[in-house]
Amino acid sequence: MPRLYDSRKRILVTGGAGFIGSHLIDRLLGQGHEVLCADNLFTGTRRNIDHLHAEPRFEFMRHDVTFPLYVEVDEIYNLACPASPVHYQHDPVQTTKTSVHGAINVLGLAKRLKAKVLQASTSEVYGDPAIHPQVESYWGNVNPIGPRSCYDEGKRCAETLFFDYHRQHGLEIKVMRIFNTYGPRMHPADGRVVSNFIVQALRGEDITIYGDGSQTRSFCFVDDLVEGMLRLMATGPDVTGPVNIGNPGEFTMLELAEHVIRLTGSASKIVHRPLPQDDPRQRQPDVSLAKSLLDWEPTINLESGLKRTINYFRDIVTV
Ligand code: NAD
Ligand code: UDP
Ligand code: UDP
């Protein structure tokens, strides 16, 4: 039987001080691995990794992935990229650079080290989808010149780079298409819908629905998402993805607002604000590939996931 020392891996998580990355790191450390977190703290916070301060198998490095990185690791999870539309549109050129130059640098690193590398891609590669629910074989409906393009096209180009490094250099890649994910450690000012609604409800402020609220999203609780991520990374070299990971439960933004008001017991009122340009009308993952390939499916429904997220925000949001 191999000793723990032999099975322990050194794992790089870029974007590890962010919402999803910090949960992933908790799981990896729990499995006994060493983790190096590289993050420029653009949208992530030290608060998300503060509890790891005394953990000798954890190391934090302030680093921007648009610059080369020379470290020695066995596996790489590439999560560095702002994910909220408010944040990724704040400096769109930097967003594209983060996805594209960031991908080139982690792929160059993986190539030198012959390390497995997983890309946190997104359902945004499907754009405003004409196929519903979205299957991995769908090529998408993306505006290349709109306000969301820096993110959508940046992530699409990153997927291209992953597959070209795989074909050209024989790299072992895993491309995961993440659908809307929520949970504790989302930043209260993150601007995404779940955190916005919960913070507004807890503060008794108006709940801001963009447009008429009939647009849909499918929300995955972060623990389910991270489980899917770990399972994808554990697959053999023939599995490259792309693989959708998300919760197929589909809700309108109006339904989401009503759930949040009910579960928080808030007196907040719903108000409507203009719908942002190119806001996708609908989104729902087809997760049959994840089921067959990874034996994975989500286990936490919206109601219980929201309760856990609301409890987290109750502790940190000042009314
Ligand atoms: P997040 O904003 O909380 O985390 C992103 C992290 O990346 C932050 O810690 C940020 O500081 C860091 N970062 C940004 N630019 C960087 C750079 N140039 N160099 C180094 N670090 C940088 O967002 P999240 O929700 O945790 O998303 C993590 C990943 O998952 C992202 O790649 C995102 O695109 C992807 N994703 C998330 C969702 C979702 O619903 N949460 C959906 C689809 C895809
Ligand atoms: N790179 C890195 N760390 C490494 C190896 C490479 O950050 O350990 C970066 C480096 O900036 C390089 C990029 O990854 O430009 C792509 O590397 P690759 O070997 O594919 O191409 P090249 O070095 O020929 O540009
Ligand atoms: N949205 C909303 N109110 C908010 C924030 C977002 O109605 O305060 C809507 C937004 O227009 C979109 C959906 O909620 O239709 C999901 O937005 P989010 O920014 O969370 O992620 P997206 O899936 O658009 O990237």
Side-chain angles (χ1 to χ4, degrees), residues 14-21 38-45 63-66 78-84 87 94 98 120-123 151 155 178-182 190 192:
T14 74
F19 156 55
I20 296 176
D39 198 301
N40 68 353
L41 299 180
F42 174 49
T43 53
T45 63
H63 174 77
D64 183 327
V65 294
T66 61
N78 186 37
L79 275 67
C81 186
S84 159
H87 291 144
Q94 175 66 12
T98 293
S121 191
T122 169
S123 54
Y151 184 75
K155 289 284 189 178
I178 301 172
F179 283 65
N180 295 64
T181 299
Y182 70 101
D190 179 270
R192 279 178 280 188

Side-chain angles (χ1 to χ4, degrees), residues 9 26 43 59 116 120 161 164 194 207 227 244 303:
K9 288 183 197 141
D26 285 345
T43 53
E59 196 179 347
K116 251 195 226 190
L161 285 160
D164 281 334
V194 175
I207 307 258
E227 179 62 32
N244 290 340
E303 173 116 359

Side-chain angles (χ1 to χ4, degrees), residues 3-236:
R3 289 177 301 144
L4 175 65
Y5 183 77
D6 295 326
S7 62
R8 180 187 289 187
K9 288 183 197 141
R10 295 160 304 172
I11 301 176
L12 169 65
V13 179
T14 74
F19 156 55
I20 296 176
S22 63
H23 287 278
L24 171 66
I25 289 174
D26 285 345
R27 285 288 308 271
L28 293 170
L29 290 170
Q31 291 177 345
H33 302 302
E34 289 176 26
V35 176
L36 172 62
C37 166
D39 198 301
N40 68 353
L41 299 180
F42 174 49
T43 53
T45 63
R46 287 184 189 277
R47 183 198 170 98
N48 287 342
I49 48 171
D50 261 355
H51 60 289
L52 304 173
H53 197 65
E55 170 55 66
R57 285 178 291 112
F58 175 73
E59 196 179 347
F60 173 74
M61 181 185 194
R62 191 162 183 145
H63 174 77
D64 183 327
V65 294
T66 61
F67 296 99
L69 178 61
Y70 287 82
V71 291
E72 307 305 311
V73 292
D74 306 303
E75 271 181 7
I76 305 167
Y77 291 84
N78 186 37
L79 275 67
C81 186
S84 159
V86 181
H87 291 144
Y88 69 64
Q89 289 172 29
H90 168 78
D91 185 350
V93 172
Q94 175 66 12
T95 300
T96 303
K97 282 185 187 170
T98 293
S99 276
V100 176
H101 293 181
I104 291 171
N105 287 327
V106 299
L107 287 162
L109 175 66
K111 183 180 129 195
R112 177 175 64 79
L113 300 172
K114 298 186 173 43
K116 251 195 226 190
V117 55
L118 181 145
Q119 168 67 358
S121 191
T122 169
S123 54
E124 287 285 320
V125 300
Y126 301 122
D128 190 7
I131 301 279
H132 196 71
Q134 290 78 59
V135 282
E136 289 85 350
S137 54
Y138 176 49
W139 289 358
N141 176 32
V142 175
N143 177 358
I145 57 167
R148 296 176 82 100
S149 312
C150 58
Y151 184 75
D152 300 11
E153 296 289 19
K155 289 284 189 178
R156 285 170 67 95
C157 184
E159 287 200 9
T160 307
L161 285 160
F162 268 68
F163 275 85
D164 281 334
Y165 268 79
H166 171 67
R167 283 185 289 253
Q168 202 173 327
H169 298 300
L171 235 71
E172 194 175 338
I173 60 157
K174 312 285 172 193
V175 174
M176 170 171 178
R177 291 186 179 154
I178 301 172
F179 283 65
N180 295 64
T181 299
Y182 70 101
R185 299 192 196 146
M186 292 185 92
H187 197 282
D190 179 270
R192 279 178 280 188
V193 69
V194 175
S195 45
N196 266 13
F197 284 3
I198 292 177
V199 170
Q200 289 163 344
L202 292 176
R203 290 187 175 145
E205 295 168 357
D206 290 342
I207 307 258
T208 54
I209 290 193
Y210 302 160
D212 64 7
S214 63
Q215 71 271 35
T216 68
R217 295 291 186 274
S218 304
F219 298 102
C220 185
F221 190 68
V222 64
D223 291 3
D224 278 336
L225 193 281
V226 169
E227 179 62 32
M229 199 175 249
L230 294 169
R231 288 190 191 204
L232 178 58
M233 187 58 121
T235 53

